[in-house]
């Protein structure tokens, strides 16, 4: 039990460290972009800087959810607080949808204005330089956070990494507009809103890819079929298990929850049947990672038992 608690705490420290790195970077980038937008006469970079302020809200949200999920099991949360991470992933996907629709709306407005003769000012070179720096930083944060998310199996960090990627793409679109306005002449300044619309569509796709697994977990959809097959194979191969049925699975953050009924020799002692359940728990943990099992032991009545290969749900 202590070892499991130490693993959870160590994973939670990694998650919080990763989130703080992102939060610090986003605050610095927001200030830099806003200052550059004003000094460098770039409304695109200024708007991107204001948009980056919303990133700090996301950072704070992820950090709060990660802290809550790290508190583990108590009298109120008997299955732990893993779904706080899932909730964070879902909320981030909603925020990405809002950001994407905002970019799309502004892009349409700018294209409409451009088609009706409105001309934007030529940005200063510093706007281009800062934009390039921002893309490099956000892309780096994406890879760093994605690696940490895989190491800790954290849904929140996995979603958070895509948020960094969306920001990198958004700034890249801004860079296209700035570069076009600087080097291609006035009529090409429409590239900025066109790129913003294209990126907004991509962000919507990312939000869907991120939000769907979170919604499925909140609705307690079963584990993927390949993982259920692994569970069935492990249980069936465990010495002493005659058959099993009533297999139910779900996720709770990085924790997999497995409920199952196993049938053993009815003449077996309580101690022996307990050893079998412990063996199943250990093997599932070795194969799948953090697993919470609820194993109900029943006597096996020979060939008259109707359960075969775990197909019965009775």
């Amino acid at each position: 039990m202590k070892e499991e608690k130490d693993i959870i705490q160590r994973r939670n420290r990694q998650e919080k460290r990763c989130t703080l790195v992102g939060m610090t970077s986003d605050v610095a980038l927001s200030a830099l972009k806003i200052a550059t937008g004003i000094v460098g006469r770039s409304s695109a970079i200024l708007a991107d800087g204001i948009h980056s302020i919303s990133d700090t809200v996301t950072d704070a949200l992820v950090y709060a959810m990660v802290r809550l999920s790290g508190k583990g099991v108590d009298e109120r949360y008997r299955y732990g607080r893993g779904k706080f991470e899932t909730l964070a992933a879902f909320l981030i996907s909603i925020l990405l949808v809002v950001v994407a629709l905002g970019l799309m709306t502004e892009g349409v407005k700018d294209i409409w204005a451009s088609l009706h003769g409105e001309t934007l000012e030529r940005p200063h070179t510093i706007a281009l330089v800062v934009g390039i720096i921002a893309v490099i930083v956000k892309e780096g944060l994406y890879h760093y956070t994605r690696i940490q998310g895989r190491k800790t199996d954290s849904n929140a960090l996995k979603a958070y990494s895509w948020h960094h990627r969306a920001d990198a793409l958004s700034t890249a679109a801004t860079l296209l507009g700035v570069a076009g306005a600087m080097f291609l002449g006035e009529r090409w300044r429409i590239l900025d809103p066109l790129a913003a619309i294209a990126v907004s569509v991509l962000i919507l796709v990312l939000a869907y890819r991120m939000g769907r697994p979170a919604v499925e977990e909140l609705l307690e959809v079963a584990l993927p079929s390949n993982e259920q097959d692994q569970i069935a194979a492990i249980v069936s191969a465990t010495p002493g298990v005659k058959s099993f049925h009533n297999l139910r699975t779900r996720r709770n953050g990085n924790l997999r929850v497995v409920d199952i009924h196993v049938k053993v020799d009815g003449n077996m002692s309580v101690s022996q049947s307990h050893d079998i359940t412990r063996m199943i728990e250990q093997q599932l943990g070795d194969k799948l990672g953090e697993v919470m099992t609820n194993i109900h032991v029943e006597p096996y009545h020979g060939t008259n038992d109707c359960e075969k290969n775990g197909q019965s749900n009775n």
Side-chain angles (χ1 to χ4, degrees), residues 18 30 180:
C18 182
S30 297

Side-chain angles (χ1 to χ4, degrees), residues 227-240:
E227 293 190 11
Q228 294 192 65
D229 291 340
Q230 289 177 340
I231 294 170
I234 289 171
V235 174
S236 297
T238 302

Side-chain angles (χ1 to χ4, degrees), residues 86-140:
T86 310
L87 179 60
F90 172 69
L91 293 177
I92 291 172
S93 68
I94 296 299
L95 287 173
L96 284 179
V97 170
V98 173
V99 168
L101 293 178
L103 287 173
M104 188 179 293
T105 300
E106 291 301 316
V108 171
K109 287 181 179 178
D110 289 344
I111 290 174
W112 181 263
S114 178
L115 293 176
H116 286 75
E118 184 175 323
T119 303
L120 301 177
E121 289 187 355
R122 184 181 185 276
H124 195 276
T125 305
I126 191 175
L128 193 64
V129 174
V130 169
I132 293 173
I133 292 173
V135 170
I136 293 173
V137 171
K138 294 300 288 188
E139 186 67 14

Side-chain angles (χ1 to χ4, degrees), residues 19-38:
T19 307
L20 286 174
V21 169
M23 186 183 301
T24 303
S25 301
D26 284 334
V27 170
L29 284 176
S30 297
L32 182 61
K33 287 178 184 178
I34 291 173
T36 300
I38 296 172

